[in-house]
Amino acid sequence: FQPIKTLGKMLLRRFSIRGKLEDLEKAIETFQLAIKTHSKECSVCLSNLSAALGKRFEVKGELRDIDEAIVSMQRSIEISQEDPNENYTSLNNLGSFFGLRFGCSGNINDLDCAIACQSQAAERTPDDHGMRPGCLNNFGLVLLKRFAHYGQEDDLDNAIANMREAVRITPRYHPDMPAHLKNFGDALRDRFLH
């Protein structure tokens, strides 16, 4: 069982480096095989499958991939033995998937789910954790989407506050700093234009 999970992770990693779709397809097949043959209730396998499906959605744009990524991640969270206060990584990923699907479908329920997940992820991520800036940034992004949809200033203010904090706590030369600064700048621009 462990070798299959490891193979899937290695294939997904190689896809990240090389960008060859065949590695991603093999990673998805490997995670599906691990779930099917070894443990339908493996939270880590479901989470890995979800991540791979999310990547394939980004590459191919097929809505069924993001649908399956959401279902897999929800099931992973549901069966996880992890303390609910420590599942911020899964919540952050699930929120991102809902946000991606909202971008395709325009279904406001997806946006609401994205906000709920990102809010919980930002709230639960410890202050000193390396993921905290990303969670705050992602929460700000989905709040900006809702602001664009409804025009509620509270959403814009909360987005700016979360993004400001993400920029403040991101190490100066961290690779995510340019994206965090851009998103924060976009939010400030939206306030100026509103």
Side-chain angles (χ1 to χ4, degrees):
F1 175 61
Q2 190 62 35
I4 293 174
K5 281 187 352 186
T6 302
L7 175 61
K9 285 183 175 182
M10 299 289 284
L11 287 164
L12 191 56
R13 178 76 178 131
R14 190 165 76 179
F15 167 75
S16 297
I17 294 168
R18 292 182 173 176
K20 290 190 175 186
L21 191 57
E22 69 186 58
D23 290 331
L24 181 58
E25 298 291 353
K26 286 179 184 175
I28 290 169
E29 289 172 17
T30 302
F31 293 134
Q32 288 171 332
L33 178 65
I35 292 164
K36 182 178 179 182
T37 60
H38 294 285
S39 175
K40 291 183 181 355
E41 303 299 306
C42 177
S43 177
V44 173
C45 291
L46 287 163
S47 180
N48 290 337
L49 174 61
S50 181
L53 290 164
K55 291 280 184 205
R56 188 166 72 182
F57 171 76
E58 290 173 6
V59 172
K60 296 175 92 176
E62 294 179 7
L63 203 52
R64 70 181 168 88
D65 285 333
I66 203 67
D67 291 342
E68 289 179 36
I70 288 170
V71 169
S72 295
M73 188 59 75
Q74 286 174 319
R75 184 70 185 137
S76 173
I77 291 169
E78 184 179 305
I79 66 172
S80 176
Q81 300 300 314
E82 201 172 31
D83 178 340
N85 291 319
E86 303 214 355
N87 65 355
Y88 39 85
T89 302
S90 297
L91 287 167
N92 185 53
N93 291 337
L94 182 58
S96 295
F97 295 149
F98 274 118
L100 287 170
R101 190 164 75 179
F102 170 74
C104 293
S105 71
N107 184 335
I108 200 67
N109 291 332
D110 287 335
L111 182 58
D112 290 342
C113 289
I115 289 170
C117 291
Q118 297 294 6
S119 173
Q120 290 177 51
E123 182 180 305
R124 293 178 184 178
T125 306
D127 290 342
D128 61 346
H129 195 284
M131 271 194 61
R132 184 153 178 77
C135 287
L136 291 169
N137 181 69
N138 291 343
F139 183 35
L141 287 171
V142 293
L143 288 169
L144 274 183
K145 286 181 183 181
R146 188 166 69 183
F147 169 73
H149 196 76
Y150 289 116
Q152 295 177 341
E153 270 191 59
D154 284 350
D155 286 334
L156 180 58
D157 292 342
N158 287 332
I160 289 170
N162 278 281
M163 291 176 168
R164 176 179 285 121
E165 181 65 6
V167 167
R168 188 187 73 74
I169 65 175
T170 301
R172 185 174 182 180
Y173 296 106
H174 191 280
D176 290 340
M177 180 59 98
H180 293 177
L181 285 168
K182 180 210 175 290
N183 294 334
F184 180 46
D186 289 348
L188 291 172
R189 180 202 60 221
D190 288 351
R191 175 183 276 163
F192 175 76
L193 295 174
H194 183 67

